[in-house]
Amino acid sequence: MKSYLDLLRTSGVGRIIAAQLTARFPSGMLSLAYLLHIEHLFHSYGAAGLVLATTSIGQAVSGPLTSRWMGRWAMRPVLILTTLVCSTTMIVVALLPPGVPLPVYMAVGLLGGLAFPPVQPAVRTIYPKMVTARQLTPLFSLDASAQEIIWVAGPVVTTFIATQISTVLAILIAAGFCLGGGAWFIFSPEVGRVRIPRSKRAFGKVLTRPTVLVVTVVGFVLIGACAAIEASVVASFGEGSVESGAVLAVFALGSLVGGLAFGHAPVGRWSLARRMIVFVVGAVASVIAWEFWSLTAAVLIAGLAVAPALAVMFAAVSSSVKFSDTAEAYGWVGTGQLIGAAAGSAIAGVMIDHFDARGGLAAAAGFAVFALLVPLIFARALPDLRGRDASPIPDTEPVQTLRP
């Protein structure tokens, strides 16, 4: 824990982590809040799914683009614009009067997804400028671990408010977090101090970097596996059951513990594959689990690898691209994870319908094995950061000199 205490003593680190978690808290609230609200209005989970789908498509499309804009127009203007537009769409969805047709909600959801603030790429671009090279990998691990708060507390808060008070209030509180947390993050001194150079590469060119492509693919299948596990756990015990909530909480707790326990470990070419082995063991064990305690133990094992794997992925991307390309690279990684979550949920849903919850867990195990094979086969594309700086490659350009 000493490395994490040293990090939190570093000027601004604790504040920027807290600010970005607050700004990103709607990520853990919005899907469930929209699901409950639209289902309440239209009495159809299918209608709610369409609104969620358009919102997710918007996020996936805009992630790399808005991240790249931060190098063109600076972080604060892009974050201010996206935060205002995104929070406004949440308020509109919450306050639209009864009788408004479903396509209107879908259009507003799409706009909100397109304007989702690129806080995650921004903060991970800022981190290398705040700490020493030795502290950067533990900081990525601390960040990956801390974000589990979003996925544990967000759904709990949303469910309580939406079911006990009002779905409208649940969405408005998410909008409040977006505005308040966004303002806290945007006006943090570190956001004003860091200037991302304008990238000279074409949009999307950063994906030709083998490390970025490998990490994007691994993120796609890893988060797809996580989404499949979550859907299958709910199917195992029933929606809203205490058992499913407890198992999912242990899954997230395992990730938090794993990130804190292994975040200081040196990152080599095989580090990601080793973490994926642990995840595969947990995912495969979940398929043969027979009751609550065995399934809880299986997802705990799988969870132990999630935050450590994400930390390795963030460090690998950071060290493999120029500073001007880091935000866009993280945007693509985030898009891969969003698409993976949608694909994992969809495939698990089909398997659950045909083979019950065990079929969904088998789909998760399939995703997990794929997530292991990619870093095993393409280990040479991943950097060896043992004893090396994980900071981005500096941007350089020719300098004119006077000839004698």
Side-chain angles (χ1 to χ4, degrees):
M1 295 298 293
K2 184 178 183 298
S3 59
Y4 299 118
L5 293 175
D6 290 342
L7 273 174
L8 294 174
R9 291 191 192 103
T10 303
S11 177
V13 168
R15 179 179 62 245
I16 204 74
I17 290 176
Q20 64 100 1
L21 286 177
T22 307
R24 291 171 53 208
F25 202 71
S27 299
M29 298 182 65
L30 207 56
S31 293
L32 190 53
Y34 276 9
L35 177 73
L36 296 171
H37 183 66
I38 302 301
E39 193 280 330
H40 176 73
L41 291 175
F42 291 92
H43 307 289
S44 167
Y45 281 105
L50 289 173
V51 176
L52 291 179
T54 56
T55 305
S56 297
I57 289 169
Q59 286 182 256
V61 169
S62 70
L65 186 60
T66 54
S67 299
R68 186 179 174 89
W69 284 353
M70 293 190 291
R72 181 185 293 266
W73 293 303
M75 281 190 279
R76 274 182 174 157
V78 173
L79 288 167
I80 289 171
L81 175 63
T82 53
T83 298
L84 289 175
V85 173
C86 186
S87 56
T88 299
T89 63
M90 296 181 202
I91 295 170
V92 169
V93 168
L95 300 182
L96 278 173
V100 173
L102 180 64
V104 174
Y105 286 94
M106 294 171 62
V108 177
L110 177 64
L111 178 60
L114 289 170
F116 210 80
V119 173
Q120 192 175 53
V123 75
R124 287 173 184 155
T125 301
I126 291 169
Y127 283 157
K129 301 298 182 181
M130 295 183 64
V131 298
T132 65
R134 178 181 59 83
Q135 293 176 307
L136 188 54
T137 299
L139 179 54
F140 281 131
S141 183
L142 181 62
D143 176 88
S145 302
Q147 73 177 3
E148 294 299 335
I149 297 170
I150 296 172
W151 308 114
V152 173
V156 172
V157 170
T158 301
T159 301
F160 177 80
I161 295 172
T163 57
Q164 302 301 316
I165 306 175
S166 161
T167 56
V168 171
L169 182 60
I171 298 174
L172 292 177
I173 289 176
F177 273 110
C178 184
L179 278 172
W184 185 13
F185 178 73
I186 290 166
F187 295 106
S188 296
E190 294 76 17
V191 176
R193 292 192 197 113
V194 176
R195 177 72 171 88
I196 304 173
R198 184 169 178 172
S199 177
K200 297 179 176 63
R201 297 160 66 88
F203 177 68
K205 191 77 172 176
V206 72
L207 278 175
T208 61
R209 292 270 186 178
T211 302
V212 177
L213 185 58
V214 168
V215 167
T216 301
V217 173
V218 174
F220 168 84
V221 286
L222 172 61
I223 301 305
C226 292
I229 288 173
E230 290 167 359
S232 303
V233 167
V234 172
S236 294
F237 301 105
E239 185 178 345
S241 70
V242 174
E243 290 90 348
S244 61
V247 173
L248 293 179
V250 168
F251 188 31
L253 180 63
S255 178
L256 175 62
V257 171
L260 295 177
F262 304 113
H264 63 285
V267 175
R269 293 189 190 278
W270 301 100
S271 295
L272 186 55
R274 283 197 293 268
R275 286 154 174 78
M276 287 297 99
I277 290 172
V278 177
F279 186 78
V280 168
V281 169
V284 171
S286 71
V287 180
I288 59 176
W290 61 92
E291 40 74 59
F292 172 79
W293 291 110
S294 56
L295 183 57
T296 300
V299 300
L300 175 62
I301 294 170
L304 288 171
V306 176
L310 291 173
V312 171
M313 291 158 62
F314 300 150
V317 169
S318 175
S319 64
S320 302
V321 299
K322 289 187 175 182
F323 183 60
S324 57
D325 292 324
T326 50
E328 184 188 341
Y330 285 127
W332 284 111
V333 172
T335 290
Q337 293 176 1
L338 280 169
I339 297 172
S345 298
I347 293 173
V350 172
M351 294 292 286
I352 290 166
D353 287 342
H354 285 81
F355 306 104
D356 71 33
R358 208 170 291 274
L361 292 168
F367 272 91
V369 171
F370 191 11
L372 169 61
L373 290 176
V374 174
L376 276 177
I377 296 170
F378 299 102
R380 291 178 62 85
L382 298 170
D384 186 348
L385 300 179
R386 292 172 297 182
R388 274 188 51 199
D389 188 348
S391 299
I393 302 168
D395 286 87
T396 58
E397 58 185 15
V399 178
Q400 291 185 345
T401 59
L402 293 176
R403 293 183 179 179

